[in-house]
Amino acid sequence: MKRAWVVFCIAVAMAASTAVLAGPAQALVPDGAHGWYWQMPQPSTGLNDVAFVGAGQVWAVGAGGTIQHSTDGGVTWAGQSTGSDADLWSVSFADDQHGWAVGGQASGTYDGLILVTTDGGAAWTDETPSGLTGSLTNASFVDAAHGWIGTADGTLLKTSDGGATWHILKLAATYKGYLTVDFVDATHGWAGGTRGRIWKTVNGGKTWTGGSLNDSFNGLGPQSSVVQLDFVDRSDGWVLGQ
């Protein structure tokens, strides 16, 4: 179920990055008896990402500060107030209470924005660190303390205390460009970027291997960019390129 939601919403995010989606925002969900069917949470803005926690808990984020929440697996949806009209590109929940939504400011400067909830979305607070610039691409939290956020300038943000403090990680000295990240625990994670680059860490991001076009686990080629990663454990994962 989780992977099915993720793959489709990635496609929505890719479309939204190049054009404004017409009509109501839509989510495609699987039904074991009838295949795939459309759901249409309001409002009529483009959705960019989804987080499925379990026990029917689903969050979707999108343009204009949109956060939609479902407690019944997507049958019904309700908006959650963020106090922001910034575009949200990614959402990650460590459990049904602790979540993060990241994106860019609505001013057009694309300065980063980090929204945090500790009560299942009843309240969202802006916990963007001062001086943060550049668009944030995606968030990956494995528990209430440990999380990573990809950026558009080739760096990663890391927290080990739930976002109270952030550290900047540089995967490669010369790399500048889009980064997406996914961790399965506090030590094992992957990052992807332009020209098909993929990096791996086994120590929480202190050091990274990969990033070369000749890496054996990198089969996308120089014409593709890694726009999303989804790993379910230390061995099994999916990469979406465009």
Side-chain angles (χ1 to χ4, degrees):
M1 176 72 78
K2 174 178 179 285
R3 291 196 295 272
W5 276 87
V6 169
V7 170
F8 179 75
C9 284
I10 290 167
V12 173
M14 293 169 60
S17 66
T18 57
V20 177
L21 296 179
Q26 299 183 354
L28 190 67
V29 296
D31 183 307
H34 305 98
W36 292 85
Y37 64 95
W38 288 103
Q39 290 183 327
M40 302 174 64
Q42 297 298 317
S44 58
T45 55
L47 298 178
N48 297 321
D49 196 22
V50 66
F52 183 75
V53 179
Q57 299 284 340
V58 188
W59 284 265
V61 299
T66 295
I67 297 183
Q68 291 284 320
H69 179 218
S70 175
T71 60
D72 53 18
V75 176
T76 59
W77 295 83
Q80 294 186 328
S81 176
T82 63
S84 173
D85 59 356
D87 292 338
L88 299 175
W89 293 104
S90 178
V91 59
S92 179
F93 269 76
D95 52 49
D96 61 0
Q97 297 296 304
H98 296 84
W100 292 259
V102 304
Q105 300 284 10
S107 63
T109 62
Y110 296 101
D111 290 342
L113 174 69
I114 302 175
L115 298 176
V116 181
T117 182
T118 58
D119 55 12
W124 289 85
T125 59
D126 184 346
E127 296 191 7
T128 309
S130 61
L132 178 64
T133 59
S135 182
L136 304 179
T137 58
N138 79 304
S140 178
F141 277 77
V142 296
D143 55 43
H146 296 88
W148 296 259
I149 296 176
T151 74
D153 65 3
T155 60
L156 290 178
L157 302 177
K158 176 184 177 180
T159 183
S160 299
D161 53 17
T165 58
W166 291 91
H167 303 282
I168 297 177
L169 306 178
K170 188 70 175 177
L171 277 68
T174 59
Y175 179 75
K176 292 184 179 180
Y178 180 98
L179 276 179
T180 183
V181 62
D182 189 50
F183 275 73
V184 295
D185 54 42
T187 56
H188 292 77
W190 293 260
T194 60
R195 301 193 69 196
R197 294 178 176 91
I198 300 175
W199 293 264
K200 179 181 180 180
T201 182
V202 295
N203 54 19
K206 294 179 181 178
T207 59
W208 296 81
T209 58
S212 168
L213 299 180
N214 297 319
D215 291 325
S216 61
F217 54 82
N218 183 348
L220 292 177
Q223 303 305 316
S224 298
S225 293
V226 177
V227 295
Q228 190 71 29
L229 300 158
D230 183 37
F231 279 78
V232 295
D233 54 40
R234 296 181 182 181
S235 301
D236 299 303
W238 289 257
V239 175
L240 183 70
Q242 72 172 15

